[in-house]
Structures are given as C-alpha cells and as structure tokens.
Amino acid sequence: MNFIQSQTTPSAVEADLLVVGVSAPATPEELTDTLGAFGAECLAAAGSDFKGNAGQIAVFHTFGRVASKRIALVGVGSGSAGEYRRAFGRAGSEARSRGDQTVALSTGALDANRWQEVVEGWHEGVYRFDKYKAEESRKAAPASVIVLDDVDRSHNKQASAIGMGRALARDLVNEPADALYPETLAQQALALANEQISVEVWDFDRIKAANMGGVEAVGKGSNRDPRFIHLVYRPNGPARKKVGLVGKGVTYDAGGLNLKPGAGLQTMRCDMGGAATVVGVFRALADIQPDVEVHGIIGAVENMLGGSAYKLGDILHISNGKTVEVHNTDAEGRLVLADCLSYASKLELDAMVDIATLTGACLVALGERYSGLFTGDDALANAISQAAADAGEDIWRLPLEARYKEKLKAEWADVKNVGGRAAGSITAALFLSHFVEDTRWAHLDIAGPAFSDKAVDHFSPGGLGAMVSTLTRWATA
Ligand code: BES
Ligand code: MN
Ligand code: ZN
C-alpha cells in the first residue's frame, strides 16, 4: 500500500473514495471548512445519529459536486489516538468492501503518534482473507492512498511494518489447519530468514533427542509431526537488550482423547494464534530493524486423537527435568509451552513474554476483547501495559496467585496439567511458571482476542492478529 502526500484540496482530489474525519460533536462549520456547502449538506444527509463518534461512518455518492466519486464521513470522536485508529480502520474496511483503488484521506494535521494510528488502523481495516473465494467475488485492496493534510510521517515505517506483520499473523490463523500444520508453519517462519533473521527448525527426531516430552506427547497423536522453531533477530550493531517471545503453536486443537464438542472444534485452527503473533512480530522487525536482539520460540504441534495419542495418567518428562501427570489431554498448550519456556530460560534473555490461546477460562473471565496478563514482575507488567495502551489493544492483569499452586499438586509426578474449574486461567499460568528459570517472564492469554467468527469493529472475521502491535512496541522499546 502506497501513501502519497499531495497538496490537492479535498474538493479537487480525484479519488474513488474521499475520507473525511469528523470530530464529535459533528458541526456543519467543520465540514464547510474542508468542503464548502457540500460538506454541510453531507452532514445533514448523514442524519442526527451521526455524531462524529469513533466507528461511525456515512458514505455518499458525490454526484460530481467534488472531484472524487464517493465521500465517507468518519467519526474521530474527541481525536484521541485510538479513535483515529478506529475511524480510518473503518474507512479502510469500507474502501476494501467496495474495491476502491484510489482513496484520499482528509485527516486534519496529525502528530506522529496519531498518524501511526491511522496507518495501523488502515491496514487492519483493509485486510480480508478471501484467497479461497471465487475470483469475481474478491475485491482488490486500494492501490494508493492520497494524504491531503500535513501529517508527521516519522513513524511511517514502523506503522506499515506492524500493519504487515499483523496481516501476516491473521493470514496464518485464517489458513485452514489442513494447509497450515507444524511443517508448513515452520516454512512460514523460514520464509522470514534474511541477513538479520536466522531461523532454526527441529524435526520430531531432534525434538525427542532434546527430551521435549511435552511437545512430543501432544504431537504424537497426529499424522503431522511437530516442529520446534527458533527465530532470532540480530541488529547490525550492538544490541541494547535481548528479549524473547514464546508462542503456542497448536495448529489444530481437537482436544486429544478429551475430544472437544463440535462447536469447539469448528474454530480450533486458531490455537496457533500465539505462534502467529510471534511470526507477525518478526515480519515487523525485518522492516523496523531495531537495535535489540529478539528471540522467537514456537512449539508447533497438532493435538489429535489416534492410536498413538497421549493418554490420561501418562507421566511426561519436560526438558527441564520436571515431570507432569496428564489429567486432561485438552490442556495441551501448557505442555508445549513448558518445553519452550525451559528452552528460552537458557538463552540469558533480559525478559520474555509467552503468548497463547491458552484457556477458555480467560475468555469467560475477560470476554473477547481482553488478553489476560500474568506476571509477578510489576515493572514488566507496566512495560507491557504501556505498549498495549499505545497499540490500542486491551489487556488486563490477573493475579499469579501462588497460593493456588496447590491445585496443581500431583500424586505421582511433580505437577499435574490441570488445576480444576476455579481460576482456570490462573492455574494455567502457574503451571507455566514451573518451567521458567532465572528469567523475567510474563504470560499473555489471548484466547479471547486471537480470533472472532464475526466482524469486530473494523476487523473482518477470523484471526485478529492480537498483540502483534503491542509486542512489537514492547520488544523494540
Ligand atoms: N486452546 C484451548 C483454549 C481456548 C478455548 C482457546 C477457547 C480459544 C478459545 C486450550 O487448549 C484448552 O482446551 N483449554 C482447556 C483447559 C482445560 C482442559 C483445563 C479449556 O479452556 O477448557
Ligand atoms: Mn486444548
Ligand atoms: Zn489449545
């Protein structure tokens, strides 16, 4: 997508769609300023429900009153960064639905942060996953975006990089599990390799040789072998810090012998959402080229049920030496992450964050919009929360309550893999904490915002690329 600065006026610009930001409460004067009498008429035609609130949009044919074919009034509310994101995300979605090729943006003068929100929001809104639809029903993304106002474009590169990274994460989640399985997920990671990004992929034999008993157990019930993936981004010069991102890459979660009911099975290709986020962040790092070292660690497995599937009562040996008693094969993500976190703990990272569609309990507690944040490290919690606030992503910290550790006590092993119904997402996080050694660590449960089968705001249904923007900001801060 090409953003082109232009000196043209809103009335004279020749675009398929002219997008005009309108602040709340919408007044005819504001629109008269940009478009003359036609602006005020558009606002009147939008009706009294159109107040200029973020997310509101009103689209009209211009009948030649201005040079563009159509006009979209989009509410920017009180003009906060997040409202700009929603407004121009909405506009991007509108343009994509129509197949508009040239779009002009009248945003008013914007500082660097607000312009970054507009660009990220635009990428979010234009995204579609339509590769499996008939050619004639697909609409192309806009080829060029004309920027009419004086905007500070100094964050442009970062914004576009995050936009592309998030789109990649959404593609990976949306791809059916029959096309995206551990081997092909690894290929997607390998495709990012360049002078600065190295990618190492371990096959099943190598995984077993490394005593990754969690990945092995979950992976062995599938005909698709697991993969362990380690990406490293290294800056050309010295690195300011060294951080890690650990992603749950369950390319399909059938639940194993604890088979999920039908409704649960429908969307469980989304269970590699954490891994998709990690790959998306690396896609962004490739363009941003920050002076930090970033490690991405992904356990890619398919959780299936078959003759060689792992069983209830099995005792697994995780690579850090701890043993786990299996009480539910559907609590598989934590077993995979256990090996990944053990591995990451040996990399001498300054801090690491794991990201996972880990528990239905988190979805119950916080709903579809919030990611759950778990950590005992207040400074790390604050840094991640700040990055999320800047990215306009919702996270909520839940307690990593050590007194609940007893819920995970096992009879015959060091720990069991489920802690009962109460505090299900907390006990999952506590389980993970057993496999973190001497490294600052936080856990993000994205079971809610990783995926939606309905449109959310300006996002089309499917993978939402949750936390790509937040974690790119956190890793590069
Ligand atoms: N992948 C699921 C969690 C999930 C649920 C993600 C809904 C996205 C939407 C996870 O592997 C799982 O099945 N968790 C179980 C844990 C239970 C068996 C302790 C759950 O949440 O029911
Ligand atoms: Mn599961
Ligand atoms: Zn799962």
Side-chain angles (χ1 to χ4, degrees):
M1 224 153 316
N2 221 347
F3 289 89
I4 307 150
Q5 191 84 46
S6 163
Q7 304 297 327
T8 325
T9 63
S11 309
V13 68
E14 289 179 41
D16 297 319
L17 185 67
L18 167 65
V19 182
V20 181
V22 180
S23 45
T27 62
E29 289 76 28
E30 184 185 352
L31 281 149
T32 313
D33 282 352
T34 29
L35 288 162
F38 179 62
E41 286 168 40
C42 287
L43 183 59
S48 56
D49 283 349
F50 185 89
K51 302 208 159 44
N53 297 332
Q56 289 194 303
I57 185 165
V59 186
F60 306 102
H61 203 285
T62 63
F63 296 106
R65 299 282 301 278
V66 294
S68 290
K69 273 195 214 111
R70 282 189 176 77
I71 180 169
L73 306 183
V74 294
V76 299
S78 62
S80 71
E83 288 169 311
Y84 272 98
R85 176 187 288 259
R86 261 191 91 179
F88 289 89
R90 198 65 210 274
S93 180
E94 177 69 24
R96 179 66 183 264
S97 295
R98 207 182 287 284
D100 292 336
Q101 283 306 288
T102 312
V103 180
L105 303 185
S106 171
T107 57
L110 295 180
D111 62 20
N113 286 331
R114 282 184 176 70
W115 177 247
Q116 176 162 2
E117 299 281 335
V118 169
V119 173
E120 284 192 37
W122 179 263
H123 277 95
E124 291 160 3
V126 299
Y127 176 86
R128 293 290 185 277
F129 186 74
D130 56 6
K131 65 187 270 201
Y132 294 109
K133 294 232 184 215
E135 179 93 53
E136 56 272 20
S137 71
R138 301 206 293 250
K139 298 278 196 278
S144 47
V145 181
I146 304 168
V147 183
L148 299 172
D149 292 284
D150 182 22
V151 298
D152 181 343
R153 306 215 290 167
S154 48
H155 295 173
N156 226 27
K157 188 172 71 172
Q158 192 190 7
S160 297
I162 290 172
M164 310 273 274
R166 189 163 189 167
L168 174 58
R170 295 172 77 180
D171 275 343
L172 296 178
V173 169
N174 287 330
E175 199 62 61
D178 195 45
L180 193 116
Y181 45 90
E183 185 186 355
T184 54
L185 176 57
Q187 283 164 2
Q188 294 281 337
L190 283 165
L192 293 179
N194 63 19
E195 280 105 78
Q196 289 177 295
I197 296 177
S198 65
V199 184
E200 193 178 314
V201 176
W202 292 1
D203 66 10
F204 206 177
D205 286 337
R206 185 79 182 75
I207 288 167
K208 290 178 199 161
N211 298 312
M212 291 187 159
V215 178
E216 177 181 351
V218 178
K220 69 185 186 176
S222 169
N223 294 334
R224 309 283 202 192
D225 280 351
R227 292 290 186 275
F228 174 78
I229 307 165
H230 182 182
L231 306 101
V232 190
Y233 165 86
R234 287 191 183 82
N236 290 323
R240 268 193 296 119
K241 62 174 182 180
K242 188 171 161 183
V243 297
L245 299 171
V246 179
K248 170 179 173 181
V250 177
T251 58
Y252 188 68
D253 182 11
L257 292 175
N258 290 105
L259 182 63
K260 286 183 183 295
L265 290 172
Q266 189 62 50
T267 56
M268 274 305 143
R269 69 178 184 284
C270 79
D271 213 20
M272 34 59 73
T277 296
V278 174
V279 175
V281 170
F282 273 78
R283 172 71 184 77
L285 296 175
D287 285 347
I288 299 170
Q289 307 208 309
D291 57 349
V292 294
E293 184 173 315
V294 186
H295 291 252
I297 291 111
I298 293 169
V301 293
E302 207 177 55
N303 187 25
M304 296 289 282
L305 54 166
S308 51
Y310 76 132
K311 304 169 186 79
L312 305 187
D314 282 359
I315 292 178
L316 316 180
H317 294 258
I318 305 300
S319 49
N320 73 340
K322 287 195 183 173
T323 55
V324 180
E325 210 170 276
V326 175
H327 284 246
N328 190 320
T329 59
D330 200 9
E332 84 297 339
R334 63 195 76 183
L335 301 171
V336 173
L337 287 172
D339 278 321
C340 293
L341 288 167
S342 303
Y343 177 93
S345 291
K346 297 187 184 93
L347 298 174
E348 299 185 322
L349 303 168
D350 296 317
M352 63 181 174
V353 179
D354 81 74
I355 170 157
T357 48
L358 201 63
T359 65
C362 196
L363 183 60
V364 171
L366 298 177
E368 300 88 350
R369 288 183 183 261
Y370 278 78
S371 299
L373 170 65
F374 302 82
T375 180
D377 185 322
D378 292 344
L380 185 54
N382 289 340
I384 295 167
S385 299
Q386 183 60 55
D390 292 344
E393 297 196 271
D394 295 312
I395 67 174
W396 199 261
R397 190 175 176 188
L398 292 167
L400 195 61
E401 173 53 67
R403 285 171 293 181
Y404 294 159
K405 272 195 170 178
E406 62 168 27
K407 292 177 189 283
L408 294 168
K409 282 220 173 96
E411 195 63 42
W412 300 285
D414 296 328
V415 62
K416 60 179 182 176
N417 76 330
V418 287
R421 250 173 67 82
S425 46
I426 298 175
T427 52
L430 287 169
F431 179 88
L432 298 180
S433 73
H434 281 278
F435 304 94
V436 175
E437 281 153 61
D438 305 323
T439 309
R440 298 177 65 199
W441 161 75
H443 158 60
L444 280 169
D445 193 331
I446 56 165
F451 183 92
S452 171
D453 44 24
K454 302 184 289 291
V456 183
D457 297 336
H458 52 281
F459 291 80
S460 56
L464 302 177
M467 295 295 129
V468 170
S469 185
T470 296
L471 290 176
T472 302
R473 281 172 159 87
W474 173 75
T476 59

